[in-house]
Amino acid sequence: AMALLVKPDGIMVKNEPYFKQLSKVFDYSVDVHFYDCPMICDQSMILGSNHIDFYHHDNLTDHGVENLLLPEIEEYPHQYLLWRDYKINDPIKDGACEKLEEAIQDQKDNEGIRKGKSEGLVMIIEVEECTISMEKLETIMVDILTEQGYTSIESNDNSDASFEVVIVTDEGYVIARRWPEDDYIALDIHLWGRFEKMEPTRAALVKALGSGNDVKEGSMSSYRVVASGMYGNDSWEEDDKLIGPDLTAHTRKCDPDRIK
């Protein structure tokens, strides 16, 4: 599962002594070690990748980041000066390919079978410098959700407090909490179906809260977490294909005729 968190040509980094464990997951692994670190004495960074062979890759690049501890990059004759360990791992010999094939087959066998749990996704969004009239917030949100294809839209504007708008649909709900005096709105988007709508919904809401213009850079932030879902969703078969890792997209070298 750890390897599926990175792109096919990506790198996983752990800033702790994790070389042995990471070498079981990726085809290439390297231990980059820094000595004489203040307070902690030394520090390891373990890198793993299924695509990048660190030994044959010139991986010392100056990205223009301010350096307070390490020497300038020009002082390193080569990247190996920082290395403490390096390993090329054989997934076939280690039995990783056999386990992967079993997991892929199990995934295929369970396609279309309703699982005993229901998944959901929650996105938390903070939008500052909102320029819309707060009285129009409910109408704007309903219009956007309608345009995005949500169904059975019902809203409940807590107008007495002039604080919260709650909109419930078949696919989930959206809550907006507003602080007009600060030009600030907090949004919760909780979906238990049609998860592909989450990103377009965020983009449309954020744009609308800027009165038709993109909200200024730095005035919006968001994060997403896995949450519980809701049974009875008629899109669960399509949603199930969008949730979790696609094991067939793995990039380990399981071909016996691969180039070593």
Side-chain angles (χ1 to χ4, degrees), residues 13-15 26 38 51 86-87 102 112 115 121 172 184 187 212 220 222 239 248:
V13 181
K14 290 189 68 77
N15 61 337
F26 294 97
H51 178 77
Y86 167 80
K87 187 178 180 182
E102 292 176 357
K115 295 179 290 186
L121 288 176
Y184 171 86
L187 298 168
M220 187 279 291
S222 67
D239 298 332
T248 61

Side-chain angles (χ1 to χ4, degrees), residues 145-239:
L145 295 183
T146 301
E147 292 172 359
Q148 294 295 322
Y150 290 83
T151 55
S152 302
I153 300 174
E154 296 183 9
S155 63
N156 179 19
D157 185 358
N158 187 4
S159 56
D160 292 338
S162 187
F163 172 72
E164 187 176 78
V165 176
V166 180
I167 300 178
V168 181
T169 74
D170 286 341
E171 296 79 13
Y173 65 79
V174 180
I175 298 177
R177 299 177 180 87
R178 51 194 176 184
W179 285 264
E181 65 277 10
D182 298 318
D183 295 331
Y184 171 86
I185 294 179
L187 298 168
D188 298 357
I189 304 176
H190 187 168
L191 299 185
W192 47 72
R194 305 295 183 187
F195 301 111
E196 71 278 5
K197 294 181 179 294
M198 180 163 281
E199 294 292 340
T201 301
R202 179 188 66 171
L205 285 171
V206 169
K207 184 175 182 179
L209 294 179
S211 188
N213 300 314
D214 291 332
V215 176
K216 295 179 181 179
E217 183 180 356
S219 62
M220 187 279 291
S221 63
S222 67
Y223 63 91
R224 185 175 61 183
V225 296
V226 177
S228 57
M230 183 74 71
Y231 285 115
N233 178 24
D234 60 6
S235 64
W236 70 267
E237 289 190 68
E238 292 80 9
D239 298 332

Side-chain angles (χ1 to χ4, degrees), residues 43-253:
Q43 176 69 58
S44 287
M45 287 199 306
I46 314 302
L47 286 67
S49 178
N50 286 331
H51 178 77
I52 298 176
D53 181 356
F54 305 104
Y55 187 84
H56 297 99
H57 190 81
D58 185 9
N59 54 5
L60 283 183
T61 303
D62 187 356
H63 293 282
V65 179
E66 183 181 7
N67 196 345
L68 301 178
L69 176 64
L70 300 176
E72 296 298 328
I73 194 171
E74 293 80 10
E75 299 184 31
Y76 290 98
H78 48 70
Q79 66 264 33
Y80 314 118
L81 191 64
L82 298 171
W83 289 17
R84 187 166 68 172
D85 211 340
Y86 167 80
K87 187 178 180 182
I88 297 179
N89 311 295
D90 188 337
I92 297 179
K93 182 179 178 180
D94 295 340
C97 293
E98 182 178 349
K99 294 179 181 178
L100 186 59
E101 290 301 322
E102 292 176 357
I104 292 174
Q105 186 59 49
D106 183 66
Q107 190 178 61
K108 293 179 179 179
D109 292 342
N110 285 280
E111 286 184 1
I113 300 177
R114 190 66 163 121
K115 295 179 290 186
K117 58 182 179 180
S118 182
E119 299 86 354
L121 288 176
V122 174
M123 178 175 285
I124 308 299
I125 310 170
E126 293 186 294
V127 185
E128 302 177 73
E129 303 179 21
C130 299
T131 58
I132 68 163
S133 169
M134 292 298 174
E135 291 74 19
K136 299 180 180 179
L137 181 58
E138 179 186 4
T139 301
I140 290 175
M141 292 175 62
V142 170
D143 289 345
I144 288 175
L145 295 183
T146 301
E147 292 172 359
Q148 294 295 322
Y150 290 83
T151 55
S152 302
I153 300 174
E154 296 183 9
S155 63
N156 179 19
D157 185 358
N158 187 4
S159 56
D160 292 338
S162 187
F163 172 72
E164 187 176 78
V165 176
V166 180
I167 300 178
V168 181
T169 74
D170 286 341
E171 296 79 13
Y173 65 79
V174 180
I175 298 177
R177 299 177 180 87
R178 51 194 176 184
W179 285 264
E181 65 277 10
D182 298 318
D183 295 331
Y184 171 86
I185 294 179
L187 298 168
D188 298 357
I189 304 176
H190 187 168
L191 299 185
W192 47 72
R194 305 295 183 187
F195 301 111
E196 71 278 5
K197 294 181 179 294
M198 180 163 281
E199 294 292 340
T201 301
R202 179 188 66 171
L205 285 171
V206 169
K207 184 175 182 179
L209 294 179
S211 188
N213 300 314
D214 291 332
V215 176
K216 295 179 181 179
E217 183 180 356
S219 62
M220 187 279 291
S221 63
S222 67
Y223 63 91
R224 185 175 61 183
V225 296
V226 177
S228 57
M230 183 74 71
Y231 285 115
N233 178 24
D234 60 6
S235 64
W236 70 267
E237 289 190 68
E238 292 80 9
D239 298 332
D240 194 50
K241 299 175 183 179
L242 302 175
I243 299 175
D246 179 8
L247 297 178
T248 61
H250 75 91
T251 56
R252 298 214 69 175
K253 295 180 174 61

